[in-house]
Amino acid sequence: MSFRAIRVFKDEQGHRVDTVTLEEHELHEGDVTVAVEYSDVNYKDGLALAHGKGVVRTYPLVPGIDFAGTVESSAHASFAPGDKVVLNGYGVGEGHDGGFAQKARVPGDWLVPLPEALTTRQAAAIGTAGYTAMLSVLALEDAGLTPDSGDVLVTGAAGGVGSVAVALLARLGHRVIASTGRPAEADYLRDLGAAEIIDRAELAAPGRPLGKERWAGAVDPVGSHTLVNVLAGTRYGGTVTSCGLAQGPDLPGTVLPFILRGVTLIGIDSVQAPMDRRVRAYERLARDLDLTRLEKMTTVVGLDEVPDVAGRILAGQVRGRTVVDVNA
């Protein structure tokens, strides 16, 4: 049975993107076939559609690093037709056909059973961004952070990871400081639960190796000078999670926050995270994420609108989460 998909190609004309009709046998190998209901657009998806450099490892490819839907057929012991599932990472949308299609076929070991409290639309709204935010929150908690520890900073707060991190931390009782370069988003961030808004300019330029101790923990999807300044402003014994590189992959700082204040820097990997941690993250998202706030940060588009959204997400013009209804 044929279905619609977005596919990227590379030929003598270079990298190009088309909306095509595929047959199931054209998909990559796997032991579970899923009727995709929703996907979402992430920064990495924007790169895959724009030029593919550093993201797309094989052509032709269906991009989309996330999807949620219903199992159609399965040769995997853990899944049966009718099961609701979600997938994030594992190279899907990079080296294996992904979620920008009405069907997907993947190894069952990559799929997470969807908690009953979440719909497939909500799972796509969470996506890699929200799942990464939850992994960051779990890491902060495992390091001992509690609401009594002090303020928690979230950088890139109006983006996908940042929006969910703000909502989660606020719901869990933390006083959240949100950093953004878009002043117009202040009301949006306060509505998500931020208690204080700071301009990203305070953090984006080269700064001092150590600054005033301002926050007990932080979630940083930005990297570069921003992460260095976040570390410099972290209180003694505090913890910072690094989960992105929106400003850059470099870390142009010093070891002083680590050896003078005992600050801990934890790297967050969402692509190859162990399954038990994925399941834990989704169980906590189902319990701790305010789904009303998730809805407020979510925009839904159809498959044909994805290339435009991808361009805008690379330009920093997209706030919150963009869900793709692949059947619209």
Side-chain angles (χ1 to χ4, degrees), residues 303-319:
L303 202 59
D304 292 334
E305 299 169 81
V306 168
D308 175 66
V309 174
R312 290 191 289 111
I313 206 169
L314 293 182
Q317 298 170 350
V318 173
R319 117 179 147 180

Side-chain angles (χ1 to χ4, degrees), residues 280-299:
R280 181 185 173 199
Y282 270 95
E283 288 174 347
R284 286 290 303 276
L285 284 160
R287 189 186 83 189
D288 295 328
L289 181 60
D290 185 331
L291 298 179
T292 301
R293 283 177 167 166
L294 178 66
E295 181 64 26
K296 288 180 178 179
M297 71 176 80
T298 300
T299 302

Side-chain angles (χ1 to χ4, degrees), residues 74-86:
S74 172
H76 191 282
S78 298
F79 298 99
D83 289 347
K84 300 294 184 180
V85 294
V86 59

Side-chain angles (χ1 to χ4, degrees), residues 8-323:
V8 294
F9 301 84
K10 192 171 187 179
D11 51 29
E12 63 276 0
Q13 301 173 29
H15 177 92
R16 60 186 175 85
V17 180
D18 285 327
T19 300
V20 299
T21 298
L22 295 178
E23 301 294 332
E24 192 172 314
H25 68 81
E26 296 181 81
L27 288 172
H28 289 160
E29 291 302 312
D31 53 8
V32 179
T33 300
V34 178
V36 178
E37 294 161 20
Y38 296 97
S39 184
D40 55 80
V41 187
N42 299 278
Y43 191 84
K44 189 178 285 186
D45 299 318
L47 295 174
L49 289 170
H51 50 66
K53 296 175 183 176
V55 176
V56 178
R57 301 196 299 271
T58 185
Y59 288 92
L61 179 79
V62 176
I65 65 173
D66 299 323
F67 65 76
T70 303
V71 173
E72 275 195 347
S73 63
S74 172
H76 191 282
S78 298
F79 298 99
D83 289 347
K84 300 294 184 180
V85 294
V86 59
L87 185 144
N88 311 109
Y90 285 117
V92 168
E94 302 175 64
H96 190 100
D97 285 328
F100 292 160
Q102 293 173 311
K103 288 184 187 291
R105 188 167 58 219
V106 297
D109 288 344
W110 296 354
L111 294 169
V112 176
L114 190 63
E116 289 186 6
L118 295 174
T119 66
T120 52
R121 184 183 186 278
Q122 290 165 339
I126 291 167
T128 285
Y131 150 66
T132 300
M134 188 73 249
L135 290 177
S136 295
V137 172
L138 290 173
L140 291 175
E141 290 179 347
D142 290 347
L145 185 78
T146 71
D148 293 331
S149 301
D151 293 350
V152 182
L153 172 70
V154 177
T155 64
V161 174
S163 292
V164 179
V166 169
L168 279 169
L169 289 163
R171 178 76 177 269
L172 292 167
H174 296 273
R175 184 180 186 276
V176 181
I177 301 173
S179 168
T180 181
R182 294 181 264 175
E185 305 293 6
D187 289 342
Y188 163 76
L189 292 169
R190 289 191 181 94
D191 194 45
L192 293 182
E196 182 180 346
I197 314 294
I198 63 174
D199 194 313
R200 72 178 175 202
E202 293 186 34
L203 302 170
R208 299 171 60 186
L210 285 176
K212 180 181 177 182
E213 297 181 51
R214 300 174 66 182
W215 35 78
V219 175
D220 178 63
V222 179
S224 193
H225 293 291
T226 295
L227 178 53
V228 171
N229 288 319
V230 169
L231 292 165
T234 301
R235 295 181 183 180
Y236 188 93
T239 303
V240 176
T241 64
S242 173
C243 56
L245 41 68
Q247 186 179 12
D250 55 326
L251 191 63
T254 76
V255 299
L256 294 185
F258 309 118
I259 64 174
L260 296 183
R261 289 188 183 160
V263 171
T264 298
L265 177 61
I266 300 177
I268 303 297
D269 166 54
S270 61
V271 177
Q272 298 294 337
M275 184 55 67
D276 60 344
R277 200 154 184 84
R278 292 170 183 265
V279 171
R280 181 185 173 199
Y282 270 95
E283 288 174 347
R284 286 290 303 276
L285 284 160
R287 189 186 83 189
D288 295 328
L289 181 60
D290 185 331
L291 298 179
T292 301
R293 283 177 167 166
L294 178 66
E295 181 64 26
K296 288 180 178 179
M297 71 176 80
T298 300
T299 302
V300 181
V301 301
L303 202 59
D304 292 334
E305 299 169 81
V306 168
D308 175 66
V309 174
R312 290 191 289 111
I313 206 169
L314 293 182
Q317 298 170 350
V318 173
R319 117 179 147 180
R321 304 289 297 129
T322 301
V323 166

